[in-house]
């Protein structure tokens, strides 16, 4: 096996692992599979952590994870797939940041790792053992990488920023009086 062949096998394993985990998480949100709560339950959760409207937020997160993960696993439309998954994981990380880094404490470790792996795949490409090269890279052009990552970063900043403002307004309304009457 040459170095190039090992790279392709490594990218295949990374795509299958990262994409598979993302797709499973998305299926929990969209369909309630694998012990998930489906759109209704996930929508209620999303609303409770500041993403509103909750059901639309659950649908967007589920599609980013399930769609992005499936496409990553297949190595199809890799720039868009990786960017979508990375954006979804940035939104998930924002929820977990107050708990610190490590997952056992409810931190953002898992979401950040999946997001970074997805973004890395968007940048490096899927390797030869994938659908993008089989289809002539029509959905995997060089210009698509910065376009997909840039558009996703902008959209994610808007969504997470709106969530943070919503949570800040809620906290301000719940503050205790400074002086007792």
């Amino acid at each position: 096996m040459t170095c190039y062949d090992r790279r392709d096998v490594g990218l295949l394993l990374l795509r299958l692992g990262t994409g598979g985990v993302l797709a499973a998480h998305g299926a929990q949100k969209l369909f309630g599979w694998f012990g998930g709560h489906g759109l209704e339950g996930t929508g209620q959760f999303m609303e409770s952590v500041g993403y509103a409207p909750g059901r639309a937020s659950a649908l967007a997160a589920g599609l980013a994870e399930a769609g992005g993960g499936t496409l990553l696993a297949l190595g199809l439309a890799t720039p868009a797939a990786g960017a979508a998954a990375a954006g979804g994981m940035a939104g998930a990380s924002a929820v977990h940041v107050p708990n610190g880094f490590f997952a056992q404490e409810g931190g953002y470790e898992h979401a950040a790792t999946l997001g970074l792996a997805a973004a890395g795949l968007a940048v490096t490409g899927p390797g030869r053992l994938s659908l993008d090269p089989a289809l002539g890279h029509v959905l995997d052009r060089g210009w698509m990488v910065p376009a997909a990552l840039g558009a996703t970063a902008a959209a994610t900043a808007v969504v997470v920023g709106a969530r943070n403002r919503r949570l800040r307004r809620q906290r301000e309304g719940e503050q205790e009086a400074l002086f007792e009457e």
Side-chain angles (χ1 to χ4, degrees), residues 48-77:
S48 78
V49 295
Y51 288 112
R55 186 175 171 88
S57 298
L59 179 62
L63 289 173
E65 292 175 17
T70 299
L71 290 173
L72 278 177
L74 295 171
L76 180 61

Side-chain angles (χ1 to χ4, degrees), residues 53-178:
R55 186 175 171 88
S57 298
L59 179 62
L63 289 173
E65 292 175 17
T70 299
L71 290 173
L72 278 177
L74 295 171
L76 180 61
T78 305
M89 292 299 96
S93 291
V95 171
H96 296 283
V97 162
N99 301 322
F101 179 70
F102 292 104
Q104 74 247 27
E105 301 295 325
Y108 63 95
E109 169 187 23
H110 182 68
T113 300
L114 287 173
L116 288 169
L121 287 165
V123 171
T124 62
R128 290 184 299 179
L129 300 173
S130 64
L131 291 179
D132 274 336
L135 298 174
H137 292 282
V138 295
L139 300 173
D140 180 31
R141 305 276 187 212
W143 63 267
M144 294 175 180
V145 174
L149 290 172
T152 299
T156 301
V158 168
V159 170
V160 172
R163 171 196 178 259
N164 291 344
R165 285 188 300 281
R166 195 173 297 111
L167 291 175
R168 200 167 32 255
R169 283 193 304 270
Q170 284 177 351
R171 279 194 303 271
E172 289 169 358
E174 295 173 0
Q175 286 184 353
E176 295 179 24
L178 293 176

